[in-house]
Amino acid sequence: MNIIDLDKQYIAGTYARFPLQLTEGKGSLVKDADGKEYIDLGTGIAVNGFGVGDEEWKQAVIAQLDKIQHTSNLYYSEPCALLAQMLCQRTGLKKVFFSNSGAEANECAIKAARHYGQTKKGKDYYTIITLKNSFHGRTITTLSATGQDVFHEYFTPMTEGFVYAEPNDINSVKALVQSYKCCAVMIELVQGEGGVTALEQDFVSALAQLVKDEDMLLVVDEVQTGNGRTGSLYAYMDYGITPDVVTTAKGLGGGLPIGATMLGERADLFTAGMNGSTFGGNPVACAGALNLLQRTDEALLAQVREKSAYIFNTLQNAKGVKSVTGKGLMIGVECEKDANEVVTACRERGVLVIKAKHKVRLLPALNIPMEQLEKAINTLKEVIEQ
Ligand SMILES: *Cc1c(COP(=O)(O)O)cnc(C)c1O
């Protein structure tokens, strides 16, 4: 049986996969099972931020594998401590809890927010405001945090304690703060799965002020936007705000599973036994992440912004393009053509792009060589124009 049939027979039907099996690659070039090569603008959904098989990352991972692959959180571990130190030094946040995915990182943030509400305001201050069209994960609680009804269908009852405000409408947030006993607001600064749209600066500034005035926590979900993706190390840095909690995952591990919940001074309330994760802070994942984070420096971020400007400039006024949204190398292209058609035509021409809602989504590697990016964007442009 071929792999596609085998998968269809034995893998739970939760994924609508493209008819393509990726087997190997180098940098931003990946190959399928037939040996056909593609320029990858999807990076495993913003995970392979340094592309496939990055040499330095691989060496860091292998060096750690040669020492010890896992120790449990009953013991101290160097890669985990060093990564936490670097995350705190580069963000100004104070403590880190490590897990294995974005959903888990957000679960921890939700626990931190509820803990803060209970401790500082009273037991019934547990409601968290999130935004409509958001995406925060697939566990029952992070689904509940996700402000899209379509994800809730079939799985009710959802975890209680989440209410949804309109993005870019501060009055809608204020109304919820008046009606519910709230402990936090949780947002994505660029809504990824919701269609790659960045929140407006004025809204975010007003929100940060409101959260402060009302003694709530500001939780920023940087699972997708983080680790250089938007052209700054974390997207919040561009908005001039100081979140109390920042979560990240996807690009942090460069392909190995890791989640991180960074806690600021006010949110740092956890004591022993309040959270845990068997695999959280895995030394191999942390050693790789440490290497990538060190290399996500100002020079690389400047390149991300340059490549971003190139993509915006090339596509914004192109024929067949309705809009280009997003930030850095997290871009949504709304086309006159159906997005599925564009994805398929690009694939046939050797370029991998993905979708977000009705848009074509681009998440190239942060270090994609300019010639490969140009080639891929020209192909995309031709496909959209036709
Ligand atoms: C992908 C994503 C998640 C979920 O991450 P998983 O690793 O799939 O659990 C949460 N929030 C945002 C913003 C995401 O993009």
Side-chain angles (χ1 to χ4, degrees):
M1 233 189 253
N2 71 32
I3 294 302
I4 292 180
D5 292 336
L6 210 59
D7 183 297
K8 286 195 165 136
Q9 182 164 347
Y10 291 110
I11 299 288
T14 60
Y15 300 111
R17 300 197 202 276
F18 297 122
L20 187 63
Q21 181 198 353
L22 297 178
T23 51
E24 59 185 299
K26 196 72 197 160
S28 287
L29 300 175
V30 293
K31 277 187 187 166
D32 70 13
D34 301 326
K36 180 174 172 183
E37 194 169 69
Y38 303 85
I39 302 173
D40 180 21
L41 301 185
T43 55
I45 318 187
V47 166
N48 301 333
F50 283 69
V52 173
D54 176 78
E55 274 310 319
E56 273 192 55
W57 170 81
K58 234 166 62 181
Q59 289 316 313
V61 165
I62 291 168
Q64 183 56 42
L65 265 177
D66 279 338
K67 290 182 194 160
I68 190 166
Q69 82 275 24
H70 171 79
T71 67
S72 94
N73 281 302
L74 300 174
Y75 306 103
Y76 291 97
S77 149
E78 182 178 273
C80 168
L82 291 178
L83 179 60
Q85 178 192 35
M86 185 169 291
L87 285 168
C88 288
Q89 284 174 345
R90 295 196 56 189
T91 60
L93 292 148
K94 299 296 180 209
K95 294 276 172 70
V96 183
F97 178 84
F98 286 117
S99 51
N100 314 285
S101 67
E104 275 178 287
N106 286 338
E107 287 273 351
C108 175
I110 291 163
K111 281 173 110 170
R114 286 189 168 190
H115 189 355
Y116 181 85
Q118 274 206 16
T119 310
K120 297 288 162 75
K121 304 173 80 176
K123 231 182 157 89
D124 44 351
Y125 281 81
Y126 58 77
T127 299
I128 297 174
I129 300 171
T130 65
L131 298 180
K132 290 182 185 164
N133 212 32
S134 56
F135 183 81
H136 296 296
R138 299 284 189 165
T139 62
I140 290 288
T141 296
T142 56
L143 268 188
S144 187
T146 293
Q148 301 189 56
D149 292 339
V150 20
F151 286 106
H152 298 175
E153 214 186 343
Y154 304 113
F155 307 119
T156 52
M158 288 285 109
T159 305
E160 72 163 311
F162 293 92
V163 292
Y164 316 106
E166 291 294 337
N168 299 320
D169 178 358
I170 194 67
N171 288 327
S172 129
V173 183
K174 282 182 180 163
L176 293 173
V177 173
Q178 296 311 316
S179 308
Y180 296 89
K181 292 180 172 169
C182 297
C183 60
V185 176
M186 175 158 146
I187 55 170
E188 297 161 271
L189 289 164
V190 183
Q191 293 190 323
E193 304 305 311
V196 204
T197 43
L199 293 182
E200 289 163 13
Q201 175 70 57
D202 288 353
F203 172 70
V204 174
S205 303
L207 189 66
Q209 189 59 49
L210 178 70
V211 164
K212 225 184 237 155
D213 294 345
E214 298 290 338
D215 191 19
M216 303 189 291
L217 293 186
L218 180 58
V219 180
V220 180
D221 176 348
E222 300 238 21
V223 170
Q224 194 162 156
T225 53
N227 314 299
R229 177 58 49 194
T230 63
S232 48
L233 185 59
Y234 291 97
Y236 79 81
M237 294 169 172
D238 259 357
Y239 280 88
I241 56 169
T242 311
D244 299 294
V245 182
V246 176
T247 62
T248 194
K250 292 194 167 87
L252 181 62
L256 288 175
I258 187 169
T261 309
M262 297 176 249
L263 306 164
E265 198 101 57
R266 296 195 318 142
D268 171 25
L269 297 173
F270 287 128
T271 56
M274 286 186 181
N275 208 4
S277 164
T278 300
F279 287 114
N282 171 270
V284 178
C286 285
L290 188 62
N291 173 271
L292 297 186
L293 194 60
Q294 274 164 346
R295 293 158 61 203
T296 310
D297 55 10
E298 195 35 56
L300 180 70
L301 296 172
Q303 276 185 40
V304 169
R305 294 190 293 267
E306 234 168 79
K307 288 169 188 168
S308 175
Y310 162 74
I311 297 174
F312 272 89
N313 289 337
T314 308
L315 295 179
Q316 227 152 19
N317 298 311
K319 196 172 138 233
V321 172
K322 286 189 185 162
S323 70
V324 185
T325 57
K327 223 172 189 326
L329 291 177
M330 181 172 172
I331 295 175
V333 186
E334 191 184 10
C335 312
E336 277 161 21
K337 260 193 192 168
D338 179 67
N340 290 311
E341 239 180 89
V342 175
V343 171
T344 304
C346 281
R347 187 173 66 240
E348 282 161 1
R349 292 162 174 241
V351 174
L352 298 183
V353 296
I354 61 174
K355 282 194 343 167
K357 291 270 177 72
H358 63 290
K359 293 184 186 176
V360 174
R361 178 165 36 157
L362 311 179
L363 296 164
L366 309 184
N367 64 355
I368 185 172
M370 199 58 202
E371 349 37 287
Q372 288 173 17
L373 183 64
E374 282 173 1
K375 196 171 163 208
I377 294 299
N378 283 330
T379 301
L380 172 65
K381 191 171 165 230
E382 279 169 27
V383 164
I384 294 171
E385 274 173 358
Q386 276 169 6

